[in-house]
């Protein structure tokens, strides 16, 4: 039986959109999106909005490709708070747990990288899940706080994949 103090939490774990390996941008951290990435990011945002999964807060890696992914998504979504951090650059579930206490109530979008995000989805849900670029795993969990919820088991509601969006 669920604790009456538990709150339902919704977490979107999204991998950045497709990056441009031939950009000449220098280090990995500075790599921008390619044309497909710039096309896919707003499409995922539109799908989140249509499904009622618009985030109230975005927590993103500070890499160029994640910040650019969010910038393109933000144009399609209601205004939300955003925080970028180096901790999510190639972060994983442990990084999410360190960041979660600062998250507000409501749906949170964590925008990051693989392999950490695939591993986090699998650890939270018990379901091995592939997240290619611009894929967004929609998760639901419960707990009195975000930190408590991330210690529990989550339900994988869906995975949005740009190739399957209209």
């Amino acid at each position: 039986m669920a604790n009456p103090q538990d709150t339902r939490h919704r977490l979107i774990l999204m991998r950045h959109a497709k990056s441009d390996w031939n950009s000449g941008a220098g280090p990995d951290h500075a790599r921008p999106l390619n044309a497909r990435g710039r096309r896919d990011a707003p499409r995922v945002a539109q799908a989140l909005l249509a499904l009622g999964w618009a985030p109230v807060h975005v927590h993103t890696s500070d890499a160029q490709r994640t910040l650019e992914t969010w910038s393109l998504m933000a144009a399609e979504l209601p205004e939300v708070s955003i925080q970028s951090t180096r901790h999510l650059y190639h972060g994983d579930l442990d990084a999410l747990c360190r960041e979660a206490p600062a998250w507000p109530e409501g749906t949170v979008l964590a925008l990051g990288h693989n392999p950490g995000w695939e591993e986090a989805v699998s650890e939270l849900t018990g379901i091995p899940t592939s997240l290619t670029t611009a894929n967004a795993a929609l998760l639901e969990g419960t707990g009195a706080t975000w930190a408590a919820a991330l210690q529990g088991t989550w339900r994988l509601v869906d995975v949005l994949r740009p190739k399957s969006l209209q």
Side-chain angles (χ1 to χ4, degrees):
M1 178 178 236
N3 181 336
Q5 298 295 320
D6 283 351
T7 301
R8 182 178 75 135
H9 298 278
R10 296 195 317 172
L11 175 62
I12 304 162
L13 285 179
M14 182 173 172
R15 185 174 173 201
H16 61 81
K18 184 75 173 163
S19 62
D20 187 351
W21 285 88
N22 297 317
S23 71
D28 177 74
H29 192 266
R31 194 166 4 107
L33 298 182
N34 69 11
R36 188 175 98 199
R38 290 189 299 275
R39 181 194 71 221
D40 288 347
R43 291 175 61 218
V44 172
Q46 292 164 358
L48 289 171
L49 188 59
L51 292 169
W53 278 74
V56 299
H57 179 71
V58 175
H59 212 80
T60 180
S61 156
D62 66 349
Q64 173 64 29
R65 59 192 177 277
T66 53
L67 295 173
E68 191 175 344
T69 298
W70 173 246
S71 177
L72 293 164
M73 293 177 73
E76 304 294 328
L77 294 166
E79 190 171 321
V80 301
S81 65
I82 179 170
Q83 182 174 358
S84 65
T85 177
R86 181 63 71 125
H87 296 125
L88 295 186
Y89 179 60
H90 295 297
D92 55 13
L93 183 56
D94 289 339
L96 288 171
C97 289
R98 284 191 302 276
E99 299 296 318
W103 294 349
E105 292 301 316
T107 303
V108 171
L109 167 65
L111 187 55
H113 310 267
N114 271 347
W117 267 203
E118 285 181 342
E119 292 168 359
V121 172
S122 296
E123 288 177 48
L124 288 169
T125 66
I127 302 170
T129 304
S130 172
L131 296 176
T132 58
T133 54
N135 285 193
L138 312 181
L139 308 172
E140 289 184 333
T142 58
T145 64
W146 272 104
L150 287 171
Q151 300 304 312
T153 301
W154 289 65
R155 180 173 76 91
L156 179 61
V157 176
D158 200 0
V159 178
L160 299 181
R161 301 180 191 283
K163 289 181 181 181
S164 64
L165 299 176
Q166 296 300 333

